[in-house]
């Protein structure tokens, strides 16, 4: 199955070289081919699975616990102002 | 020009009243210092795993029960993938194909447009689905009021990961006013059952609308636009009215309506295109691999249902059982939320349900109906009504005089005490003053006096009535009767 590698790269915000496009394009196509193979199976009587592990209702109680690493998280900001992450303007006109 | 009909469907985002976030233990408290309620999970650090807040699930189920919905036996979280600075993971954990709640409805009351404009119509607005997701961070745009002109933005991730419930309605709404009423009633219900504080101005309740118009009678929907940024109940109505006007004008001049997202400009009172980059959204939803399914069992759902103590229906039962009110009275009180709120405000001050209900129904509501007013529109407060009831009980004024005092209070907005002291409506409880009137009444009604003396006891009530009339309602009936009996014995 042919994959539109340009579209995939664009959606993932990746800038790929021609060489990479060829390499990843082929790899992704192979994965899709395999999926296509699986789709030949008759699954009419099989409920769709969303998870590989047969588990359900895993919850935590609603309790607020302060995080100790907020400073480290802030350290990831490329630029900081007023304790906020500074980003370039979002919408191009 | 043909007549057009407006078709509106709403998408409502409600922040759930939890202490911690949807998938991590950060506080959801509003107004904290920027980026202090953040952690590895809600900022999307590598290798972290989300964990579902049980309370958020319970609040969503509670909402579903209150809106007559189906609680799905199995629901799944999904990743919605897109890039935006307020979304650190570059995907939002939401629900897609299998939401937690489906179906349901909310009944609202809308003004009847027929000849009798005072009456109201009940209308069912159907709910398509309710799903759970996480909120995004908050962008502060520098150098401009809105996103458009700003050079750079600042991001505060405190809000990121706050539990959100998205409620989607069917396109059942037919006017901007209906949309506003629906939002108000929904907000009331959400507050009522304690799942959301529902303050549109603060953003804990948000509303987007899909809107289109079509010729009356036509089945197919017209081209819709999506309207955002209506952050108050009034703006919901105003924004939609502006958008309806725009659609109508465009149809009239033969212009084509483009499907797009617009926002309501609260300064100019019109709608403007968002002009976002229109690359077709491709969210590539897929089941969230880090979370397992939610499968609420019957027992859990029933436990949640048991916490829904205050739905209107239950309220009616409580009014009957706890306050001993007859069903028709309870029904009138619960029918309008502002009325039941008022009733309960009164009860908080003084626990006299029967007296309060009686005065509200017979006098206050009759006045409101007559003047076509809502109880919210009048100055007369619950405290004043209680004051009135107390004055009657103390014998300061009679029931008859109280009615006049009440009307005066409703009309002028003056307080009860002032009206009573100004008008001299104070009850005559002084025996000497009454004695005079009693004697006169006996003198002027010889026939009835004779009947009474010959054993027709009920005739005493006629004589009491005469004394009441003479005293202009300022006498205390039981005292009058006692005096009459004493005089006639």
């Amino acid at each position: 199955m042919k994959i539109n590698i340009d579209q995939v790269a664009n959606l993932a915000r990746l800038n790929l070289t021609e060489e990479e496009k060829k390499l990843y394009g082929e790899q992704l196509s192979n994965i899709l081919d395999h999926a296509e193979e699986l789709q030949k199976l008759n699954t009419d009587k099989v409920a769709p699975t969303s998870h590989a592990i047969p588990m359900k209702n895993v919850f935590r109680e609603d309790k607020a616990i302060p995080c100790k690493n907020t400073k480290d998280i802030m350290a990831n900001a490329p630029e900081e102002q007023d304790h906020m992450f500074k980003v370039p303007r979002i919408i191009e006109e | 020009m043909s007549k057009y009909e407006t078709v509106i469907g709403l998408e409502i985002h409600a922040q759930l009243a939890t202490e911690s976030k949807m998938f991590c233990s950060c506080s959801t408290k509003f107004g904290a210092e920027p980026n202090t309620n953040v952690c590895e999970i809600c900022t999307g650090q590598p290798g972290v795993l989300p964990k579902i807040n049980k309370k958020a699930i319970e609040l969503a189920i509670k909402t579903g029960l209150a809106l007559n919905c189906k609680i799905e036996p199995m629901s799944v979280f999904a990743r919605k993938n897109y890039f935006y600075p307020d979304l650190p993971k570059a995907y939002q954990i939401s629900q897609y194909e299998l939401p937690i709640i489906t179906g349901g409805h909310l009944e609202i009351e809308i003004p009847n447009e027929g000849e009798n404009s005072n009456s109201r119509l009940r209308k069912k607005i159907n709910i398509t689905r309710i799903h759970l997701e996480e909120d995004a961070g908050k962008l502060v745009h520098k150098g401009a009021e809105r996103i458009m002109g700003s050079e750079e933005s600042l991001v505060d991730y405190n809000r990121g990961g706050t539990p959100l419930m998205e409620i989607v309605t069917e396109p059942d709404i037919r006017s901007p006013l209906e949309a506003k009423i629906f939002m108000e009633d929904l907000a009331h219900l959400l507050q009522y059952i304690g799942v959301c504080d529902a303050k549109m101005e603060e953003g804990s309740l948000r509303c987007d609308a899909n809107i289109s118009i079509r010729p009356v009678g036509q089945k197919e929907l017209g081209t819709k636009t999506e309207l955002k940024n209506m952050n108050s109940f009034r703006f919901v109505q105003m924004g939609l009215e502006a958008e309806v006007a725009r659609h109508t004008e465009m149809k009239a001049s033969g212009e084509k309506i483009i499907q797009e997202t617009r926002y309501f400009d609260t300064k100019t009172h019109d709608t403007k295109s968002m002009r976002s980059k229109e690359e077709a959204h491709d969210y590539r939803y897929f089941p969230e691999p880090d979370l397992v399914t939610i499968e609420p069992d019957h027992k859990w759902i029933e436990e949640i249902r048991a916490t829904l103590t205050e739905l209107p229906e239950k309220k009616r039962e409580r009014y009957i059982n706890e306050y001993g009110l007859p069903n028709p009275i309870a029904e009138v009180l619960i029918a309008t939320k502002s009325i039941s709120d008022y009733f309960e405000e009164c009860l908080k001050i003084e626990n006299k349900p029967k007296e309060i209900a009686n005065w509200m129904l017979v006098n206050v509501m009759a006045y409101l109906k007559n003047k076509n007013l809502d109880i919210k529109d009048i100055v007369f407060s619950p405290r004043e009504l209680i004051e009135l009831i107390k004055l009657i009980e103390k014998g300061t004024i009679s029931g008859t005089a109280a009615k006049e005092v009440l009307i005066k209070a409703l009309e002028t907005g003056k307080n009860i005490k002032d009206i009573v002291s100004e008008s001299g409506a104070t009850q005559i409880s002084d025996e000497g003053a009454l004695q005079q009137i009693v004697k006169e009444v006996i003198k002027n009604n010889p026939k009835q006096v004779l009947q009474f003396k010959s054993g027709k006891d009920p005739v005493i009530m006629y004589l009491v009535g005469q004394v009441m009339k003479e005293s202009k309602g300022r006498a205390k009936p039981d005292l009058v009767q006692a005096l009459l009996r004493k005089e006639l014995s």
Side-chain angles (χ1 to χ4, degrees):
Chain A
M1 198 182 184
K2 193 87 185 90
I3 193 159
N4 183 347
I5 192 70
D6 288 319
Q7 190 205 352
V8 173
N10 183 38
L11 282 169
R13 302 288 190 274
L14 291 173
N15 220 340
L16 300 180
T17 63
E18 285 308 311
E19 226 167 84
E20 286 168 327
K21 279 183 195 170
K22 195 168 169 286
L23 177 69
Y24 300 137
E26 261 169 36
Q27 289 175 348
L28 289 171
S29 288
N30 285 342
I31 293 168
L32 287 185
D33 287 343
H34 182 62
E36 215 165 47
E37 192 69 24
L38 290 175
Q39 279 184 331
K40 287 181 191 158
L41 281 170
N42 184 344
T43 54
D44 286 355
K45 294 199 172 86
V46 184
T49 324
S50 64
H51 206 282
I53 310 164
M55 267 172 99
K56 60 180 182 185
N57 298 340
V58 178
F59 303 125
R60 46 165 257 276
E61 292 305 315
D62 179 33
K63 197 166 174 276
I65 305 164
C67 172
K68 295 186 187 83
N69 302 324
T70 51
K71 282 216 177 81
D72 296 338
I73 288 164
M74 213 53 223
N76 280 330
E79 267 190 83
E80 189 189 325
Q81 188 185 319
D82 305 332
H83 215 256
M84 286 188 270
F85 291 71
K86 197 164 169 181
V87 297
R89 75 159 167 190
I90 295 139
I91 305 257
E92 291 148 44
E93 278 172 73
Chain B
M1 199 180 98
S2 49
K3 254 188 103 70
Y4 289 104
E5 172 184 54
T6 304
V7 179
I8 299 167
L10 300 176
E11 281 172 23
I12 299 117
H13 285 90
Q15 278 181 351
L16 291 171
T18 57
E19 189 183 306
S20 65
K21 290 187 181 179
M22 186 73 223
F23 301 113
C24 67
S25 299
C26 288
S27 167
T28 53
K29 216 174 197 150
F30 184 78
E33 282 295 303
N35 294 304
T36 50
N37 290 334
V38 292
C39 74
E40 299 87 343
I41 295 171
C42 57
T43 54
Q45 308 298 326
V48 299
L49 289 172
K51 234 179 166 183
I52 301 169
N53 184 339
K54 190 178 183 189
K55 176 94 179 279
I57 304 289
E58 287 173 343
L59 295 180
I61 291 174
K62 198 171 179 180
T63 309
L65 292 171
L67 289 170
N68 316 290
C69 302
K70 183 183 175 210
I71 314 302
E72 288 294 333
M74 197 212 26
S75 76
V76 171
F77 278 104
R79 287 189 188 179
K80 179 182 184 178
N81 299 278
Y82 65 95
F83 288 98
Y84 210 73
D86 63 7
L87 193 72
K89 298 196 295 292
Y91 62 83
Q92 178 195 33
I93 305 178
S94 181
Q95 293 193 296
Y96 188 51
E97 283 172 320
L98 297 165
I100 186 163
I101 312 280
T102 57
H105 63 264
L106 176 67
E107 236 180 62
I108 60 168
E109 260 191 16
I110 53 169
N112 188 354
E113 280 180 21
E115 57 266 38
N116 188 359
S117 59
N118 284 353
S119 69
R120 293 187 161 252
L121 274 182
R122 292 191 75 76
K123 180 174 175 178
K124 225 181 233 186
I125 305 297
N126 288 293
I127 309 284
T128 314
R129 59 184 273 162
I130 302 176
H131 71 246
L132 281 164
E133 59 190 30
E134 54 180 337
D135 208 344
K138 205 168 192 168
L139 287 166
V140 181
H141 301 294
K142 287 185 64 199
E145 279 281 309
R146 289 200 61 78
I147 200 164
M148 251 57 102
S150 79
E151 288 303 318
E152 50 200 14
S153 301
L154 300 175
V155 197
D156 171 11
Y157 290 112
N158 279 348
R159 200 181 66 181
T162 297
L164 276 189
M165 177 168 68
E166 180 174 327
I167 303 171
V168 183
T169 79
E170 291 288 304
D172 287 347
I173 296 165
R174 289 289 171 271
S175 75
L177 176 64
E178 263 180 59
K180 174 178 169 258
I181 293 172
F182 176 84
M183 285 304 294
E184 284 174 339
D185 286 4
L186 180 70
H188 178 250
L189 182 80
L190 297 180
Q191 284 172 347
Y192 205 66
I193 62 175
V195 302
C196 172
D197 74 358
K199 290 183 182 139
M200 288 200 81
E201 288 80 358
E202 286 176 18
S204 59
L205 188 73
R206 292 165 236 159
C207 172
D208 298 335
N210 283 306
I211 176 167
S212 61
I213 62 170
R214 64 181 172 193
V216 172
Q218 182 181 302
K219 268 238 165 94
E220 307 85 73
L221 295 168
T223 306
K224 67 174 179 186
T225 52
E226 190 181 351
L227 192 60
K228 290 179 181 286
N229 194 43
M230 299 173 286
N231 51 6
S232 78
F233 296 110
R234 202 164 60 95
F235 286 156
V236 168
Q237 185 176 357
M238 284 168 73
L240 286 168
E241 275 167 357
E243 191 59 5
V244 171
R246 197 183 66 91
H247 281 221
T248 313
E249 273 166 35
M250 286 179 82
K251 287 245 168 154
S253 63
E255 270 178 274
K256 209 170 168 233
I257 294 160
I258 318 159
Q259 184 166 342
E260 61 176 348
T261 304
R262 302 176 68 84
Y263 72 92
F264 178 56
D265 188 328
T266 54
K267 286 216 173 96
T268 56
H269 290 182
D270 61 1
T271 72
K272 295 190 169 73
S273 177
M274 295 276 270
R275 258 189 276 261
S276 61
K277 254 189 172 173
E278 277 304 322
E279 70 185 29
H281 285 298
D282 183 354
Y283 292 127
R284 294 149 293 145
Y285 281 99
F286 62 88
E288 166 59 81
D290 293 338
L291 295 170
V292 296
T293 56
I294 304 155
E295 301 182 29
D297 58 14
H298 180 73
K299 188 174 158 265
W300 191 22
I301 294 172
E302 288 313 308
E303 278 167 18
I304 297 166
R305 196 193 300 277
T307 66
L308 267 180
T309 45
E310 277 297 66
L311 278 188
E313 191 46 34
K314 291 232 173 169
K315 192 181 254 202
R316 190 179 61 92
E317 283 169 25
R318 184 164 64 91
Y319 283 10
I320 294 169
N321 299 330
E322 226 172 89
Y323 302 145
L325 298 176
N327 185 41
I329 290 181
E331 275 192 345
V332 177
L333 288 173
I334 63 144
T336 316
K337 66 178 195 300
S338 54
I339 295 287
S340 70
D341 287 350
Y342 194 96
F343 175 65
E344 289 184 20
E345 276 305 306
C346 291
L347 279 177
K348 273 187 211 158
I349 305 167
E350 193 79 22
N351 188 26
K352 295 191 183 303
K354 282 185 185 161
E355 289 82 354
I356 296 165
N358 186 42
W359 279 93
M360 279 184 69
L361 257 60
V362 180
N363 299 289
V364 180
M365 287 177 73
Y367 172 84
L368 295 174
K369 203 179 166 192
N370 195 17
K371 302 267 173 182
N372 197 19
L373 288 170
D374 190 281
I375 200 154
K376 283 181 289 189
D377 303 332
I378 59 171
V379 227
F380 189 68
S381 70
R383 200 159 287 283
E384 291 296 305
L385 184 62
I386 296 299
E387 180 66 41
L388 185 76
I389 291 171
K390 278 187 176 165
L391 287 178
I392 302 163
E393 275 178 0
K394 271 193 269 172
T396 315
I397 53 173
S398 70
T400 325
K403 277 181 197 170
E404 280 168 34
V405 170
L406 177 64
I407 295 294
K408 217 172 246 175
L410 288 167
E411 273 170 357
T412 62
K414 279 190 190 170
N415 65 43
I416 293 288
K417 269 201 174 141
D418 289 349
I419 294 171
V420 169
S421 62
E422 277 168 23
S423 68
T426 321
Q427 193 155 270
I428 309 165
S429 46
D430 166 16
E431 279 190 35
L434 269 184
Q435 199 80 34
Q436 198 58 40
I437 303 174
V438 165
K439 277 186 178 151
E440 251 166 65
V441 166
I442 288 172
K443 201 176 110 195
N444 297 338
N445 297 279
K447 199 172 129 206
Q448 283 79 6
V449 167
L450 209 66
Q451 284 174 341
F452 176 76
K453 283 191 169 160
S454 66
K456 277 195 181 163
D457 198 69
V459 176
I460 193 82
M461 290 324 289
Y462 172 83
L463 295 169
V464 170
Q466 292 307 304
V467 176
M468 293 304 293
K469 205 170 140 191
E470 284 300 312
S471 73
K472 299 196 175 65
R474 291 165 59 218
K476 218 173 168 178
D478 48 352
L479 179 64
V480 171
Q481 196 178 138
L483 286 173
L484 275 166
R485 284 188 189 277
K486 203 168 127 196
E487 200 69 28
L488 293 171
S489 63

